[in-house]
Amino acid sequence: MESSWISFWNNPDIYRQIRSDFKYKFAKLIFERLLILFDNRTNINILDFGCGDATMANWIVKAGHNLYLYDVSKHYLTQAQEKFSNERNITIVDPDSYNSITNQSIDMVIVSSVTQYLTNLQFKTEMKRWVEILKSGGIVILCDVVPPSSNFMSETLSLFFSSIKHNFVFGFLQLVLLRSKPSRCRTLRKSLHLYKYSKKDIEELASSFGLIVSEHYENIGLFSSRKTYILTK
C-alpha cells in the first residue's frame, strides 16, 4: 500500500487517462488567468513549484519569461527533461538542485494545486524557501487551495459550473468518472486525506515570514470553490 502522495505522483496512472485536448483546455484556462498577474512584464524569472505535466511551459516562455520547472516526482521530471532539454529559457530543477537556486533571483513562484498535498510543517518549510529565493516585491501565487468547507459534492458542483462556463462539459464528465471510480488516488485520499487551509491559516503562515496576503477575486484553477492567494514579499 502506498504511504505518500509522492509515490502516487511517480506513477499517476489515473491522470494519464484524461484526454490530451481536455488537459490542454484546462491548462490554457489557468494560463490566461495567470497572465493577468504577469502585469505586462517580460523577462521575469518564474518558478513553477510542482509543475506536473508543465503544459503551460511553452506559453510562459513565449510570453518572454524564464521558467524553472520543479517537481519531486521522478516521473514528471523525466517527462520535463525529455520535452524541454533543448529549450534555453527553461531550467529543470530536481530536489537536489532546488536548494541551489540563487537567493533573491525569482520574481514569481506559481504553486498550482499543490498545497492539498502539503502538511503544515511541509508548507512552512517550502514557504521559507520561497521567501529566500524571491526578489523584493516578488510574489507567490497559491492556486487551487482547498478550503476547510470543501467536500466531494461541493467540488463536483463547482467543477460542473466551470465546465459549462468554459465549454468543457465532456472533460467534466470524464473527471467525475475518474474521481468516483476505485483507483490508487481515491484509496490514498482516504488514508492520507487532502490538506485544507483557510484564509486565516494562509495569513498566519505567510505573516510569520513577513509576506503580505491578498485573496484573488477568483480561483486560478478548475474548481471555483477553491481559493487563490497572492503572497507578496
Side-chain angles (χ1 to χ4, degrees):
M1 185 176 182
E2 289 172 294
S3 58
S4 74
W5 281 110
I6 294 176
S7 62
F8 170 77
W9 288 114
N10 277 328
N11 182 27
D13 51 349
I14 189 172
Y15 288 94
R16 293 197 191 101
Q17 300 175 47
I18 300 175
R19 283 172 42 180
S20 59
D21 56 332
F22 291 140
K23 285 183 181 180
Y24 178 91
K25 183 171 286 190
F26 302 155
K28 190 68 172 177
L29 172 63
I30 294 171
F31 172 72
E32 289 172 350
R33 292 178 176 179
L34 281 171
L35 196 59
I36 298 172
L37 300 176
F38 293 172
D39 198 26
N40 295 318
R41 292 180 294 170
T42 58
N43 199 36
I44 64 175
N45 297 325
I46 300 172
L47 169 66
D48 187 349
F49 181 91
C51 62
D53 280 324
T55 310
M56 299 186 294
N58 283 325
W59 301 325
I60 291 175
V61 170
K62 287 179 180 177
H65 307 300
N66 305 304
L67 181 62
Y68 294 79
L69 296 174
Y70 171 74
D71 210 296
V72 295
S73 165
K74 293 180 180 178
H75 166 78
Y76 284 126
L77 285 174
T78 300
Q79 182 175 280
Q81 196 67 49
E82 292 172 351
K83 290 169 64 177
F84 305 116
S85 59
N86 296 321
E87 176 55 66
R88 65 183 181 87
N89 290 331
I90 295 180
T91 302
I92 311 301
V93 182
D94 61 25
D96 291 329
S97 58
Y98 177 58
N99 288 322
S100 298
I101 296 176
T102 304
N103 287 353
Q104 301 184 52
S105 64
I106 300 295
D107 297 282
M108 178 184 296
V109 180
I110 299 172
V111 186
S112 180
S113 201
V114 173
T115 59
Q116 64 264 38
Y117 305 114
L118 299 177
T119 66
N120 187 266
L121 179 59
Q122 290 170 329
F123 202 172
K124 187 173 184 177
T125 300
E126 299 303 345
M127 193 170 292
K128 179 178 183 293
R129 183 63 183 137
W130 299 335
V131 171
E132 290 172 346
I133 63 178
L134 273 178
K135 297 178 182 178
S136 178
I139 63 174
V140 178
I141 308 173
L142 300 177
C143 311
D144 237 23
V145 177
V146 181
S149 60
S150 176
N151 56 50
F152 182 84
M153 183 58 69
S154 66
E155 293 217 325
T156 300
L157 286 174
S158 72
L159 186 59
F160 172 67
F161 291 130
S162 292
S163 73
I164 294 176
K165 181 178 179 180
H166 300 288
N167 193 30
F168 58 86
V169 175
F170 287 114
F172 160 76
L173 293 174
Q174 185 184 32
L175 280 174
V176 169
L177 179 61
L178 290 175
R179 281 163 60 91
S180 59
K181 73 177 185 179
S183 66
R184 292 168 50 237
C185 180
R186 190 173 182 184
T187 299
L188 204 54
R189 285 182 67 149
K190 289 181 178 180
S191 60
L192 292 182
H193 310 291
L194 295 179
Y195 294 95
K196 301 177 181 182
Y197 293 97
S198 66
K199 183 178 182 180
K200 182 180 179 182
D201 294 331
I202 300 297
E203 288 175 333
E204 289 180 350
L205 184 56
S207 64
S208 69
F209 292 101
L211 298 173
I212 299 172
V213 179
S214 62
E215 183 176 345
H216 199 50
Y217 65 90
E218 67 175 347
N219 180 43
I220 300 177
L222 299 180
F223 297 90
S224 59
S225 60
R226 296 186 182 184
K227 305 294 183 180
T228 290
Y229 300 98
I230 313 299
L231 283 50
T232 304
K233 182 176 178 181

